[in-house]
Amino acid sequence: MTTSVHDPALTAKHRAMWATGDYPRLAAELVSPLGPVLVEACGVKPGDRVLDVAAGTGNASIPAAVAGGDVVASDLTPELLAAGRLAAEQRGVELRWQEADAEALPFGDAEFDTVMSCIGVMFAPHHELAAGELLRVCRPGGTIGLLSWTPEGHIGRLFAAMKPHLPAPPPGVQAPPLWGDENHVRALLGDEVSDMTVQRRSLTVTAFPDGSTFRDYFKAVYGPTISAYRAIGDDRDRIAALDADIAAVGDRFVTGPSTMEWEYLLVVARRR
């Protein structure tokens, strides 16, 4: 495993990326079913101290609070936290919202009974640092739960399609979908956990009849895709190539009328 160094400038860049577009819309329309899946897998119960890392708009945080957890929803991007806070208020759910970097969490050692992340921590650029923080803030015997897109699945292939059109990442930065690879996660958590269970599952999405519809939606609302297009500027040929590559990913995963299966990896482990 390589040694990673926290980079505040890169953190600021990531914060800005996730504030572009309309991720709260995507979270509500497409991936909201994932949060309850993770909360159930973690076995959150009344009184548990729960930290949701890279919580976004609270897709897992809010269900954890509904389950009775004493929840802190932490995220790098204040705009996402604001949307989550509003959603929680509309549901009458109380929890704490705190701006925090997954690579340098502002919490004490062993502070939480459950530390979880639902398609969130996977986007921290330095995987080793983020994994170390997940472990540090979880008490011995506590639960660590992760839900991440797989490299082979639909979102993993989206990132693979965008990669050739982007500048090379800084040294030490790893691809987000690696968190959806069992061997990678086992290497990150290592001997610090026990009783690890790993499952591949899929989220059924019924929003897109074809790849071009999928592409246009993600161009409008998804920060990483918006950033990819901004990186190539006004070059029409490069825009057309990226358009085609993303649409091809969408077409590849359409399995029926407006139906896609988006694969993810669900990991639950016990902190030693």
Side-chain angles (χ1 to χ4, degrees), residues 33-43 118-119 146-156 180-182 197-205 253 260-268:
L34 296 178
V37 169
L38 181 58
V39 170
E40 181 180 3
C42 289
C118 183
I119 56 171
L146 304 168
L147 192 155
S148 309
W149 302 121
T150 65
E152 303 85 2
H154 188 251
I155 301 300
D181 178 86
E182 178 178 348
T197 61
V198 180
Q199 299 177 30
R200 283 180 181 259
R201 298 187 185 182
S202 64
L203 171 69
T204 301
V205 175
F253 283 88
M260 294 177 169
E261 297 294 332
W262 293 6
E263 186 182 62
Y264 61 87
L265 192 75
L266 179 63
V267 176
V268 179

Side-chain angles (χ1 to χ4, degrees), residues 24 56-58 62 79-89 95 97:
T57 58
I62 294 173
E79 290 86 349
L80 301 187
L81 293 175
R85 187 179 295 109
L86 178 60
E89 290 173 355
L95 61 154
W97 301 85

Side-chain angles (χ1 to χ4, degrees), residues 49-51 53 72 74 96 98 100-102 104-115 131-140 144 271:
R49 299 166 300 165
V50 179
L51 175 64
V53 178
V72 177
S74 67
R96 176 178 156 200
Q98 181 164 343
D101 184 348
L105 294 171
F107 307 109
D109 295 354
E111 187 171 336
F112 297 94
D113 301 304
T114 297
V115 178
E133 286 294 272
L134 296 176
L135 293 164
R136 180 183 65 79
V137 300
C138 186
R139 68 165 176 83
I144 293 178
R271 179 71 164 99

Side-chain angles (χ1 to χ4, degrees), residues 144-233:
I144 293 178
L146 304 168
L147 192 155
S148 309
W149 302 121
T150 65
E152 303 85 2
H154 188 251
I155 301 300
R157 299 316 303 168
L158 169 64
F159 274 84
M162 294 190 298
K163 182 179 179 180
H165 302 273
L166 293 168
V173 172
Q174 294 176 286
L178 284 173
W179 281 87
D181 178 86
E182 178 178 348
N183 291 331
H184 185 70
V185 177
R186 288 188 180 277
L188 288 173
L189 301 181
D191 294 335
E192 300 295 326
V193 300
S194 63
D195 304 322
M196 182 184 289
T197 61
V198 180
Q199 299 177 30
R200 283 180 181 259
R201 298 187 185 182
S202 64
L203 171 69
T204 301
V205 175
T206 57
F208 307 112
D210 52 40
S212 61
T213 308
F214 163 80
R215 176 201 62 216
D216 292 344
Y217 182 94
F218 271 66
K219 283 178 71 171
V221 305
Y222 194 52
T225 305
I226 293 169
S227 294
Y229 279 94
R230 287 180 176 176
I232 59 179

Side-chain angles (χ1 to χ4, degrees), residues 23 26-28 31-36 39 52 55-63 118-119:
Y23 187 78
L26 185 153
V31 300
S32 58
L34 296 178
V39 170
D52 187 4
T57 58
N59 276 351
S61 309
I62 294 173
C118 183
I119 56 171

